Amino acid sequence: PKLAEIKVDPRNTAFCDINGVLFSKDEKTLVRVPFTYAGSYTIPGTVTAIGTGAFYNCTKLSGVMIPESVTSIGERAFYACYELPGVIIPDSVLTIADYAFNHCNTMTYVDIGDGVTTIGASAFQYCSRITDLTIGSSVQTIGNSAFSGCYGFTELTIPDSVTSIGSYAFDGMYGKLVDLILEQPDYFMNKPIHIDFIDTGEMLDAVCNAVSVPVIASGGAGKIEDFITLFKKLPKVDAGLAASIFHFGEVAIKDLKSEMAQANIPTRL
């Protein structure tokens, strides 16, 4: 993309531009920053909404300052901003929409303010270098795959305000998580938890020790030995879930049952 500047006719009643950036006429919605924008950007204090795809594919964006006036961050607002080092989301923001920061794969820190109630599906998916994550005290819903592929965490605190966690919200953490803090463990009393089981021994063990519900190690197995290693290394795990290795004929179910039996691991397949 080569779009470097956006200009709007002053007579336009719906939109305006400020220094080459597109806004709604009342300057309350940031609509679009040009693809080629380079450097850090300070969002004007008039803005209440960061629109859908506002910074989409701004690959040279190196920083963003979000003012306290902003209440919502739209879908794919910062999608694929590859040079964004991190984000501080102020307490004024209430919602972070689906895919908002997806593929921002150089971000190392995310501070989600205490006003946010909803983190959308895949909002931070594939932000693989995040090591410092703060989830605000008002978050109620964490969407499907919200932090999937974020394998830099060593500590994760889920605040007591959370009442809903989507499927695979923290999938693919690859073994670095060593401290899981559930401020509201009762929420998990009747909810099975699914987590990747290849190279995630520390996280699975942390979850097993933190909750009293079935823990299902889900996805990532490539051979029969992976199942045996899982149940031998982590006997508190209740089940292992796999699909593609069976669909593509990499492992036969009868062979897996036989090997599990020889290893004295009870199976129900």
Side-chain angles (χ1 to χ4, degrees):
K2 295 183 178 180
L3 180 66
E5 186 178 29
I6 301 171
K7 289 292 186 182
V8 179
D9 189 313
R11 294 169 295 182
N12 189 294
T13 59
F15 300 100
C16 69
D17 70 272
I18 301 175
N19 298 323
V21 175
L22 183 64
F23 293 84
S24 60
K25 189 68 173 180
D26 60 7
E27 301 180 13
K28 290 185 177 181
T29 300
L30 194 164
V31 179
R32 179 68 236 190
V33 174
F35 291 109
T36 58
Y37 185 90
S40 183
Y41 185 79
T42 298
I43 297 173
T46 58
V47 172
T48 59
I50 301 173
T52 298
F55 291 85
Y56 184 97
N57 206 29
C58 287
T59 59
K60 298 298 182 182
L61 181 71
S62 62
V64 63
M65 179 68 70
I66 302 174
E68 289 282 352
S69 57
V70 172
T71 59
S72 65
I73 298 175
E75 188 172 324
R76 291 180 169 83
F78 293 90
Y79 189 101
C81 291
Y82 297 134
E83 293 190 7
L84 189 64
V87 63
I88 297 174
I89 298 170
D91 294 346
S92 59
V93 174
L94 304 177
T95 58
I96 302 170
D98 298 352
Y99 300 95
F101 293 89
N102 194 291
H103 276 93
C104 292
N105 54 18
T106 60
M107 288 207 305
T108 59
Y109 64 91
V110 173
D111 189 338
I112 298 172
D114 289 334
V116 174
T117 59
T118 300
I119 301 172
S122 301
F124 295 91
Q125 188 176 28
Y126 304 128
C127 295
S128 57
R129 298 186 185 181
I130 297 174
T131 57
D132 184 2
L133 170 66
T134 300
I135 299 176
S137 61
S138 296
V139 171
Q140 299 172 18
T141 300
I142 300 174
N144 295 343
S145 300
F147 296 94
S148 176
C150 297
Y151 47 78
F153 304 147
T154 57
E155 179 177 306
L156 174 62
T157 299
I158 298 176
D160 60 7
S161 57
V162 174
T163 58
S164 176
I165 297 177
S167 299
Y168 307 105
F170 298 98
D171 194 42
M173 291 190 174
Y174 301 118
K176 291 188 177 181
L177 187 70
V178 296
D179 194 2
L180 175 67
I181 301 170
L182 305 175
E183 292 186 352
Q184 184 180 241
D186 290 347
Y187 166 73
F188 297 94
M189 290 301 292
N190 298 304
K191 300 179 184 294
I193 298 172
H194 297 248
I195 303 170
D196 256 0
F197 69 77
I198 295 304
D199 297 328
T200 56
E202 294 92 342
M203 181 175 183
L204 280 166
D205 189 54
V207 172
C208 288
N209 290 325
V211 302
S212 57
V213 295
V215 175
I216 303 169
S218 175
K223 55 188 182 298
I224 288 175
E225 290 77 9
D226 292 333
F227 289 90
I228 295 172
T229 299
L230 169 69
F231 293 113
K232 289 291 188 182
K233 182 178 179 181
L234 297 167
K236 293 181 182 178
V237 169
D238 295 276
L241 186 155
S244 61
I245 61 171
F246 302 130
H247 296 327
F248 294 108
E250 297 172 36
V251 171
I253 291 177
K254 64 180 180 64
D255 293 338
L256 176 59
K257 293 179 71 173
S258 175
E259 292 289 339
M260 296 275 278
Q262 290 182 38
N264 296 316
I265 299 171
T267 60
R268 288 188 295 168
L269 292 172

